[in-house]
Amino acid sequence: MLASHYYKGLIEAGCDEAGRGCLAGAVYAAAVILPEDYTNPLLNDSKQLSEKRRYELRAIVEHDALAWAVGIVEPDEIDRINILNASILAMHRALDQLTLRPQAVIVDGNRFKPYQGLPSTTIVKGDGKYLSIAAASILAKTYRDDYMLGLASEYPMYDWAQNKGYPTMKHREAIRLHGASPYHRKSYNLLGDGQLSLQFAD
């Protein structure tokens, strides 16, 4: 069973991101505030759950949370400020949108920038340790998957419906054949061969 809180007695938001390692698309992050005594034995790191279970849990989290929000940083911003800064910015944007102001923040991973002077802690593999971070990982992952499915209908050749923008062999082969889309991250090594010079489609 995952822990309910890190900062006892404080309104705590858990944060996580999705899409950091992708070649294409925005990076998404979520912030979730759960009741202090909340329990849900099904909540876990989104990577450990089936797609069907993730979507089931998204509905439960959105119903049970005291507040939740999703933040987005687009590919051009990622190219401009780098993916680490973009991931943190997406978390800050999610926190900005919460309808309940948190008193502390816990974040999956090991890097974060202070948010509005609140106490914050990074927790490696936190999505498998704390309920609010697990909930945030599920929201970030499912909302980003929805977004990539929408882009896949516009650019079916990249197989985004299956790979969600991650660097599979089929994805990279499509980039070789068709060039890069406007949604690809220009600062990334898209072909996996050390070359960044590519034609970008309109």
Side-chain angles (χ1 to χ4, degrees), residues 68-133:
W68 64 270
V70 174
I72 302 167
V73 175
E74 299 291 348
D76 60 332
E77 292 180 277
I78 294 171
D79 289 331
R80 193 163 63 247
I81 65 175
N82 79 45
I83 188 59
L84 173 61
N85 288 324
S87 298
I88 295 170
L89 177 59
M91 292 185 207
H92 282 205
R93 287 177 175 171
L95 290 164
D96 287 343
Q97 297 175 69
L98 289 173
T99 55
L100 175 64
R101 177 170 168 79
Q103 298 170 319
V105 181
I106 56 174
V107 179
D108 182 56
N110 60 4
R111 300 290 291 279
F112 189 63
K113 294 179 181 177
Y115 177 78
Q116 295 189 3
L118 299 181
S120 61
T121 297
T122 57
I123 301 165
V124 174
K125 297 184 179 177
D127 47 8
K129 296 175 182 176
Y130 288 90
L131 288 168
S132 62
I133 299 179

Side-chain angles (χ1 to χ4, degrees), residues 166-180:
Y166 283 92
T168 62
M169 287 180 63
K170 188 172 182 179
H171 187 180
R172 282 193 155 128
E173 185 58 30
I175 297 171
R176 286 190 186 91
L177 290 173
H178 302 285

Side-chain angles (χ1 to χ4, degrees), residues 18-81:
R20 186 168 167 175
C22 294
L23 302 179
V27 64
Y28 274 54
V32 178
I33 299 175
L34 295 172
E36 188 167 10
D37 59 351
Y38 187 72
T39 60
N40 186 332
L42 300 179
L43 269 183
N44 200 352
D45 170 10
S46 65
K47 296 184 290 296
Q48 304 300 319
L49 303 171
S50 68
E51 182 177 43
K52 181 174 183 288
R53 179 55 59 86
R54 282 196 294 268
Y55 280 94
E56 291 170 350
L57 284 168
R58 180 170 90 176
I60 292 170
V61 166
E62 291 176 357
H63 177 271
D64 293 352
L66 299 176
W68 64 270
V70 174
I72 302 167
V73 175
E74 299 291 348
D76 60 332
E77 292 180 277
I78 294 171
D79 289 331
R80 193 163 63 247
I81 65 175

